């Protein structure tokens, strides 16, 4: 079964870069990699996605390995507001003819002032 | 613009009772998804509606769960009868398109506790 593997928790100092890793060795060619984060008492919130190439947006960067079996979410300057659980998700093309999210267990990021 | 809303935010019921969860997606989003996270586990997909049709219900755990989306607007998820293992947080999400790059917008979730 498709799955993603992430560290349970990580810590970072405020205003320093954070690299959140994810392994997805079962990924297929049509599967997208999505990252979401979840703040306390809220639902998951979209951060970034990619397929093969590295991606940048205003929130973060996504570095995807050449074989696509791993990826890294990069927060360039962590702030206290970035403390959250970060989910690495495979968006799988399935037999239903649509895509479906497969969530990892998430990494709880703690940002130290 | 209003985001995805879910009602109730919390529900506490006894084993054997019935509970109905409601989700209002973002206006204009044809795609509506249900997920749940049970204690200590990852968030898992339950089902996907495109408008009022069930596109994928492969994640529904058993026939005690019934999801509907009459008229292609809001959706309900009914659990009847509820069991202890149904306790968890139920999330609803919506999206505009079906492509692999489309993001989903999640509601805050309904925390269900079955005693």
């Amino acid at each position: 079964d498709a799955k993603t593997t992430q560290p349970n928790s990580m810590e970072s100092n405020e205003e320093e870069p954070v690299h959140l890793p994810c392994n997805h060795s079962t990924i297929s060619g049509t599967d997208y990699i999505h990252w979401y984060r979840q703040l306390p008492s809220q639902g998951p919130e979209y951060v970034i996605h990619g397929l093969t190439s590295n991606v940048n947006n205003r929130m973060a960067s996504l570095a995807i390995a050449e074989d696509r079996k791993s990826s890294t979410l990069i927060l360039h300057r962590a702030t206290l507001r970035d403390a959250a659980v970060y989910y690495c998700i495979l968006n799988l093309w399935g037999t239903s003819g649509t895509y479906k999210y497969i969530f990892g267990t998430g990494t709880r990021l703690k940002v130290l002032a | 613009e209003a985001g995805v809303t879910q009602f109730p935010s919390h529900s506490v019921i006894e084993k054997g009772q019935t509970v109905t969860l409601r989700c209002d997606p973002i206006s204009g989003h044809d795609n509506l998804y249900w997920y749940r996270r049970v204690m200590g586990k990852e968030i898992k997909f339950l089902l996907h509606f495109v408008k009022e049709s069930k596109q994928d219900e492969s994640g529904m755990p058993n026939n005690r769960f019934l999801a509907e989306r009459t008229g292609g607007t809001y959706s309900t998820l009914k659990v009847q009868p509820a069991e202890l293992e149904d306790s968890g947080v139920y999330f609803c999400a919506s999206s505009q398109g079906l492509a692999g790059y489309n993001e989903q917008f999640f509601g805050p979730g309904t925390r269900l506790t079955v005693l």
Side-chain angles (χ1 to χ4, degrees), chain B residues 1-4 24-33 49-52 69 71-74 93-98 102-103 105:
Chain B
E1 180 182 337
V4 176
D24 286 77
I26 292 172
S27 177
H29 282 191
D30 287 340
N31 298 282
L32 187 149
Y33 308 81
F49 283 100
V50 177
K51 297 185 180 178
E52 66 274 10
R69 193 183 182 197
T73 54
Y74 71 91
S94 70
S95 72
Q96 212 162 17
L98 279 173
N102 282 119
E103 67 179 278
F105 296 84

Side-chain angles (χ1 to χ4, degrees), chain A residues 3-4 22-27 33 68-71 88 90:
Chain A
K3 63 178 291 184
T4 66
C22 179
N23 286 320
H24 30 77
S25 58
T26 59
I27 194 169
I33 302 156
R68 302 210 319 130
K69 293 186 176 181
S70 65
S71 61
C88 173
L90 291 183

Side-chain angles (χ1 to χ4, degrees), chain A:
Chain A
D1 285 349
K3 63 178 291 184
T4 66
T5 304
Q6 303 175 250
N8 288 334
S9 63
M10 291 183 66
E11 280 188 2
S12 172
N13 293 319
E14 200 175 10
E15 300 197 4
E16 289 188 356
V18 182
H19 291 232
L20 298 165
C22 179
N23 286 320
H24 30 77
S25 58
T26 59
I27 194 169
S28 298
T30 52
D31 300 341
Y32 282 76
I33 302 156
H34 286 231
W35 283 80
Y36 280 66
R37 71 181 186 181
Q38 186 175 17
L39 301 170
S41 301
Q42 295 186 24
E45 169 192 40
Y46 171 81
V47 176
I48 201 166
H49 77 269
L51 182 61
T52 56
S53 304
N54 294 345
V55 184
N56 300 298
N57 67 20
R58 64 174 181 80
M59 287 182 74
S61 295
L62 177 60
I64 301 174
E66 197 170 332
D67 64 5
R68 302 210 319 130
K69 293 186 176 181
S70 65
S71 61
T72 302
L73 178 70
I74 303 164
L75 307 179
H76 296 287
R77 288 180 68 224
T79 70
L80 296 178
R81 289 176 298 176
D82 291 323
V85 178
Y86 286 79
Y87 292 102
C88 173
I89 298 167
L90 291 183
N91 200 11
L92 302 184
W93 177 256
T95 54
S96 65
T98 63
Y99 280 91
K100 176 167 71 177
Y101 275 177
I102 304 296
F103 277 78
T105 51
T107 296
R108 184 173 297 279
L109 175 66
K110 185 175 180 180
V111 180
L112 306 174

